[in-house]
Amino acid sequence: MAFIAGVDVGNNTTEVAVAEFTADRELRVLASAIVMTTGIKGTAGNAVGIVDALDEALRPLGLTYADLSAVLLNEAAPVIGDVAMETITETVITESAMIGHNPSTPGGQGLALGTTVRLEDLEAASGDEVCIAIVPGGVDFEEAARLLNRALSKGVPIAGAIVQKDDAVLIHNRLVRPMPIVDEVKEIGRVPVGMIAAIEVAGPGRSIEKLCNPYDIATVFCLNPEETRHVVPIARALMGTRSAVVIKTPRGDIQTRRIPAGRLKLIGRQRNAEVRVEEGAEAIMAQVRKVAPLVEIAAEPGTHVGGMFEHVRKVMATLTHQPVSTVRVQDILAVDTFKPQRVIGGLAGELSLGNAVGLAAMVEAHRLPMQLLAERLQEKIHVDAVVGGVEAEMAIRGALTTPGTEPPLAILDLGGGSTDASVINESGEIRSIHLAGAGDMVTLLIDTELGLEDRGIAEKIKHFPLAKVETLFHMRHEDGSVQFFHQPLHPRLFGRVVVVTDEGLLPVETREPLGKIAAVRQQAKQKVFVRNAVRALEQVAPYGNIRLLSFVVLVGGSALDFEIPRMITDALMEYGVVTGRANIRGVEGPRNAVATGLVLAYAERENGVFRTACPLGQ
Ligand code: ADP
Ligand code: MG
């Protein structure tokens, strides 16, 4: 009787299957385990994680390394993926002409139009010009309210105020007449005096309606069509804000500028193409598709993309002890996205959603380092470590242990760094492909679009549904259902959007409403996984025709996602393909496909036959 272990080292996780190969040459998988991968996939650094995973699987069986006759490693070429974001537009204000932000507590509400006047000059203002008061930070709220009231009582028409400190509500409460007040304007010194300004404050829970619409801005300021075109970036930057100020200065100029992000050169087996990153994801992916199969992708040196590609190449070169020049970027996935960005020249730290392109790149190196890994492992545990079995083939073998499957079959392995597809036909021939872009890319998109700057919380948002804590005793889930609690929730959750994780409720540090967060999450998944599923299957399907595949099985960590399988199923339904999540050995769900495939292949080699794998398992 011999025990063997199959080990699948992935970008994110290392999975193990321990099996018993009995004297009468039967194979039984006894246990499995999963740990985070240590080091970059396919390099010697993985040994630590592998040992942990083996320990975890062996312990409950009462076995030690000495009981293992072999450890089987997947023949994974090291693949590293890198994800980056290139901003391709930015809003630039050359004259101070706009304020638009979300102060937590603006005062009053409504739209007001007038000429900007300093607080101290209000009383001197002539009575017929409507004023917008500018209140600098040095004046406290009581004094500000007093001066405003005094000017009002003298008949100066004041329509609204722009305040530096966070005092709008305090001032407003003391005024004899209500007016909209925008506060927290950091650069108040740069607000031009004597210019026509429009200010708008939305009611609680709403966002402004007028100053985010170019035609309303045109109405307020009597703009001609040419001038209206120029205010489009203003309107766009103000969309969704709670309060806003637009000031018309004679030379005020606001533009959306496209930033050159660099060029990509796609070198295919048959043809080449060049595309500028700022043309956006659609244009890039159209070229990638045209040039496929790709041999290499080069980026213009000295640009942002150039930098990203250089980084990926360098990391890979160091890890595999190869010269940088031999490392090739073999696939990219580009997606259009938005990135909140400081408005250049803005007065209140305004953010505008700049267009950005997210890029995932993938580098595949030679198999050499796997041998080093096997040696390192052998030194550690004194068990034969055998590199054998191409990952994609093992994954298919493992996937075929899903009850109800048989060749021909296609699998999609939805991992962290790459999306892989393989197809097995009736005669057992297997074709496979690795594409850049998977779970990590989704997390990055969620992180940037919501401006979280916290990958950890972005990862949680990806994994779990959201809810809104409406009172301390109930919350509304994103599907609309309401959950009540007997014990009060923690007060810090009150009124917050939370992620409903397995370990409890996690508040999301953002002012975005629940609907927006959910939409960003779903779009990120669509953009990465639906596109890659179609792209991958097109490359492995007979004649590139997805319709010729009848069954597709999903494996890998991202197949556990609560939305992704459904999105892929819907997309593939168009091609008449039946899609579902794998259930490896009838017990593992979409996990452990490669590790299971490895032990099966071993048994097959030993027995000289391929036994059908279905009755395996506990
Ligand atoms: P790899 O083979 O590259 O190591 P995995 O198959 O382990 O990758 O998949 C890792 C990816 O799966 C990560 O992006 C992770 O966020 C995602 N993932 C893991 N568990 C879940 C889950 N329950 N829901 C959604 N995504 C998940
Ligand atoms: Mg994997």
Side-chain angles (χ1 to χ4, degrees):
M1 187 167 63
F3 296 97
I4 49 173
V7 177
D8 166 27
V9 181
N11 285 296
N12 280 237
T13 56
T14 297
E15 296 176 328
V16 163
V18 174
E20 179 185 20
F21 194 50
T22 59
D24 50 3
R25 312 187 86 71
E26 282 289 321
L27 184 78
R28 275 200 323 141
V29 178
L30 304 174
S32 64
I34 179 167
V35 300
M36 295 308 287
T37 294
T38 52
I40 300 228
K41 171 178 177 170
T43 59
N46 302 151
V48 178
I50 297 179
V51 171
D52 282 352
L54 284 173
D55 287 345
E56 200 179 309
L58 293 174
R59 202 175 308 120
L61 300 175
L63 298 177
T64 63
Y65 304 140
D67 296 310
L68 292 176
S69 53
V71 171
L72 317 161
L73 297 173
N74 56 328
E75 197 175 291
V79 174
I80 56 173
D82 196 8
V83 283
M85 202 59 84
E86 285 306 325
T87 314
I88 54 173
T89 60
E90 64 185 0
T91 306
V92 183
I93 310 179
T94 47
E95 293 280 321
S96 35
M98 169 196 100
I99 299 168
H101 66 150
N102 280 314
S104 33
T105 48
Q109 72 185 67
L111 181 72
L113 187 69
T115 306
T116 49
V117 178
R118 283 197 199 92
L119 183 66
E120 65 265 30
D121 300 335
L122 270 180
E123 284 185 49
S126 79
D128 17 283
E129 208 172 35
V130 179
C131 301
I132 300 279
I134 303 174
V135 181
V139 184
D140 80 18
F141 60 89
E142 286 193 311
E143 175 68 1
R146 196 179 61 79
L147 291 172
L148 287 167
N149 282 334
R150 205 166 73 188
L152 283 168
S153 70
K154 292 197 174 155
V156 180
I158 305 172
I162 306 170
V163 177
Q164 186 167 25
K165 288 197 297 194
D166 180 17
D167 283 347
V169 174
L170 295 170
I171 296 174
H172 192 259
N173 287 345
R174 289 165 173 75
L175 291 184
V176 293
R177 192 189 304 160
M179 62 177 71
I181 303 179
V182 173
D183 64 355
E184 295 179 51
V185 177
K186 291 188 204 96
E187 306 280 337
I188 197 119
R190 287 178 35 211
V191 175
V193 176
M195 298 294 160
I196 308 275
I199 83 179
E200 184 177 1
V201 173
R206 318 209 36 163
S207 52
I208 57 159
E209 284 167 11
K210 301 282 189 207
L211 297 182
C212 57
N213 174 10
Y215 300 118
D216 282 320
I217 299 178
T219 313
V220 169
F221 292 110
C222 306
L223 302 182
N224 65 29
E226 180 58 29
E227 290 167 325
T228 307
R229 238 191 299 279
H230 283 147
V231 300
V232 170
I234 303 193
R236 204 173 143 187
L238 295 181
M239 217 167 269
T241 60
R242 179 82 205 275
S243 74
V245 180
V246 176
I247 303 163
K248 190 165 185 257
T249 56
R251 281 165 296 124
D253 184 21
I254 300 197
Q255 304 174 344
T256 306
R257 196 162 74 183
R258 282 185 104 69
I259 313 166
R263 263 194 308 260
L264 291 173
K265 197 171 187 184
L266 311 170
I267 302 158
R269 224 173 276 161
Q270 275 109 32
R271 61 192 130 206
N272 300 345
E274 237 185 50
V275 60
R276 295 199 317 272
V277 173
E278 62 266 29
E279 284 177 42
E282 287 304 322
I284 299 172
M285 294 318 286
Q287 293 298 331
V288 169
R289 191 154 181 248
K290 207 152 87 191
V291 171
L294 277 161
V295 178
E296 190 189 5
I297 304 163
E300 191 179 353
T303 62
H304 285 284
V305 232
M308 167 191 174
F309 277 43
E310 242 359 84
H311 171 75
V312 181
R313 278 209 182 86
K314 249 194 225 128
V315 172
M316 187 55 103
T318 322
L319 285 167
T320 56
H321 311 287
Q322 295 174 54
V324 175
S325 56
T326 62
V327 178
R328 312 213 176 292
V329 174
Q330 281 166 333
D331 186 48
I332 49 164
L333 172 72
V335 298
D336 286 319
T337 170
F338 299 103
K339 188 175 180 181
Q341 260 197 301
R342 276 277 117 91
V343 171
I344 298 170
L347 298 182
E350 291 89 344
L351 295 175
S352 145
L353 277 184
N355 291 86
V357 177
L359 285 175
M362 201 181 58
V363 175
E364 224 173 306
H366 304 296
R367 303 227 152 83
L368 197 66
M370 278 306 284
Q371 210 46 54
L372 294 177
L373 169 60
E375 283 162 26
R376 171 79 64 87
L377 190 65
Q378 211 155 311
E379 276 164 30
K380 273 183 179 272
I381 61 173
H382 307 291
V383 180
D384 270 351
V386 192
V387 180
V390 176
E391 181 168 331
E393 293 181 11
M394 297 305 118
I396 269 233
R397 252 175 227 205
L400 281 169
T401 65
T402 297
T405 58
E406 64 174 12
L409 179 81
I411 63 162
L412 279 170
D413 184 348
L414 314 173
S418 68
T419 301
D420 309 330
S422 355
V423 172
I424 187 167
N425 64 16
E426 283 97 336
S427 19
E429 292 154 353
I430 296 175
R431 275 161 62 91
S432 64
I433 180 105
H434 301 273
L435 297 181
D440 295 343
M441 177 80 167
V442 174
T443 309
L444 173 79
L445 290 174
I446 294 174
D447 191 20
T448 9
E449 287 195 19
L450 294 174
L452 301 169
E453 294 180 3
D454 180 346
R455 288 278 179 104
I457 186 88
E459 180 81 13
K460 294 281 191 243
I461 292 176
K462 177 176 85 171
H463 280 216
F464 301 101
L466 300 163
K468 173 87 188 245
V469 176
E470 295 184 333
T471 70
L472 290 183
F473 289 95
H474 88 276
M475 70 178 183
R476 190 174 298 272
H477 288 275
E478 71 174 88
D479 66 358
S481 62
V482 175
Q483 184 180 357
F484 292 93
F485 301 95
H486 294 294
Q487 299 298 322
L489 294 167
H490 195 286
R492 105 194 132 91
L493 299 178
F494 182 80
R496 305 297 296 269
V497 176
V498 294
V499 185
V500 187
T501 75
D502 292 341
E503 283 109 43
L505 306 177
L506 198 71
V508 184
E509 299 294 330
T510 167
R511 285 191 189 164
E512 301 290 2
L514 184 150
K516 165 86 186 284
I517 304 174
V520 164
R521 177 193 77 211
Q522 284 167 348
Q523 280 162 17
K525 290 174 181 177
Q526 282 276 354
K527 285 184 212 171
V528 173
F529 280 112
V530 172
R531 163 160 253 149
N532 260 356
V534 172
R535 216 159 65 95
L537 291 177
E538 265 176 356
Q539 296 194 39
V540 292
Y543 313 106
N545 186 351
I546 299 182
R547 287 179 189 284
L548 298 177
L549 303 169
S550 354
F551 296 97
V552 173
V553 166
L554 307 177
V555 303
S558 299
L560 287 169
D561 190 273
F562 72 107
E563 299 173 302
I564 294 170
R566 163 97 195 265
M567 290 173 180
I568 295 180
T569 301
D570 287 351
L572 294 182
M573 204 121 79
E574 264 180 51
Y575 299 89
V577 175
V578 179
T579 314
R581 186 154 41 190
N583 191 10
I584 311 296
R585 288 181 275 109
V587 293
E588 298 272 2
R591 286 281 187 197
N592 212 255
V594 175
T596 297
L598 282 165
V599 293
L600 285 178
Y602 177 89
E604 181 191 329
R605 265 197 311 275
E606 295 289 300
N607 282 333
V609 286
F610 181 61
R611 293 200 178 197
T612 130
C614 214
L616 292 172
Q618 288 87 339

